[in-house]
Amino acid sequence: MPLKPVVWVGSSLEDLRSFPDVARQRAGHNLHLVQLGLEPADWKPMASVGAGVVELRIRTDRAHRVFYVARFAEAIYVLHAFEKKTRKTVRQDLEIGRARLREVLRMRQGRRRNG
C-alpha cells in the first residue's frame, strides 16, 4: 500500500519544525503511522474544529498538538501544529484549525470542478 501524501496547510510545517527535537520526532513518527493507515499513539477527535479532524497529542516535558484530517482519499492534511500551554485548547488554535480546514475544503471543491 503506497503512503498517503501529507499536505501541510498554512504555516503548519514551519510550526512543527519549531518543536523541540523529541516532540518533532514523535509527531513525524505518528504522522507516518497515519500515512500507513494505522492509528497514532495518542489522539482524539476534534469535532469542535471540524468533521474528521484529529488532534495528535505529543507529550514530552511540554504538550504539543497537531491537528490533521485524514478522511480524504488523496492526502492527509496537517492543519495546525502548536505548543499547548493551558489545560484547555485556546480559542485561537481552534480558530486556526477551522480556518485551515475551510481552506482545504475550498481547494478540494475547486479541484473537483476543474478536474
Side-chain angles (χ1 to χ4, degrees), residues 7-8 11 13-14 19 22 30-31 35 38 41 52-53 55 68 70 72 77 83 92-94 99-100 106 115:
V7 175
W8 302 90
S11 64
L13 179 57
E14 293 82 17
F19 286 8
V22 172
N30 281 283
L31 287 171
Q35 283 183 287
L38 303 172
V53 176
E55 177 184 69
Y68 70 88
F72 305 118
Y77 295 92
E83 182 177 323
Q92 180 182 4
D93 289 314
L94 296 171
R100 290 183 180 165
R106 277 192 303 270

Side-chain angles (χ1 to χ4, degrees), residues 39-110:
E39 226 176 69
D42 189 0
W43 64 278
K44 74 174 190 173
M46 288 299 289
S48 60
V49 175
V53 176
V54 174
E55 177 184 69
L56 178 59
R57 300 185 288 196
I58 299 120
R59 301 169 200 267
T60 59
D61 57 330
R62 297 184 215 151
H64 292 85
R65 300 293 186 261
V66 177
F67 292 161
Y68 70 88
V69 61
R71 66 184 167 123
F72 305 118
E74 73 277 3
I76 298 160
Y77 295 92
V78 178
L79 306 173
H80 188 35
F82 59 98
E83 182 177 323
K84 189 170 177 184
K85 296 181 181 178
T86 62
R87 185 160 170 77
K88 190 172 179 180
T89 304
V90 296
R91 181 181 304 173
Q92 180 182 4
D93 289 314
L94 296 171
E95 288 173 2
I96 289 169
R98 289 182 196 119
R100 290 183 180 165
L101 178 62
R102 285 191 301 272
E103 182 182 329
V104 167
L105 296 174
R106 277 192 303 270
M107 178 196 64
R108 292 184 79 251
Q109 193 168 32

Side-chain angles (χ1 to χ4, degrees), residues 8-24:
W8 302 90
V9 183
S11 64
S12 60
L13 179 57
E14 293 82 17
D15 297 336
L16 190 134
R17 285 180 173 160
S18 74
F19 286 8
D21 287 345
V22 172
R24 190 173 61 246

